[in-house]
Amino acid sequence: MHRQSQRERFEAWASVPPRNWWVARADENHNYLLEGEYLDEGVQRAWEGWQAACHEGSPK
């Protein structure tokens, strides 16, 4: 059985109603963000808050 990563759980939570956030991440073509950061600033802040609240170690 696959155990979801912290990021997978966050994206599942963020992408359904009532949020329906756009959870697209930066890649090598987005030179103004680090690879893996979310393109939407609000989603990035929510992800950082999620990480701080969950205490599951370093993000993958």
Side-chain angles (χ1 to χ4, degrees):
M1 184 169 134
H2 171 71
R3 182 167 184 257
Q4 285 187 318
S5 71
Q6 182 177 1
R7 187 180 289 265
E8 289 171 324
R9 286 193 308 278
F10 169 76
E11 290 180 356
W13 171 84
S15 62
V16 297
R19 289 161 294 281
N20 287 324
W21 295 343
W22 183 51
V23 293
R25 287 188 252 160
D27 58 21
E28 66 276 356
N29 298 317
H30 296 92
N31 59 5
Y32 57 95
L33 293 171
L34 297 175
E35 189 169 337
E37 285 189 346
Y38 292 99
L39 298 176
D40 182 278
E41 185 178 341
V43 174
Q44 181 64 33
R45 284 194 308 259
W47 167 237
E48 291 166 1
W50 177 285
Q51 290 177 289
C54 288
H55 304 294
E56 292 185 24
S58 60
K60 302 234 185 260

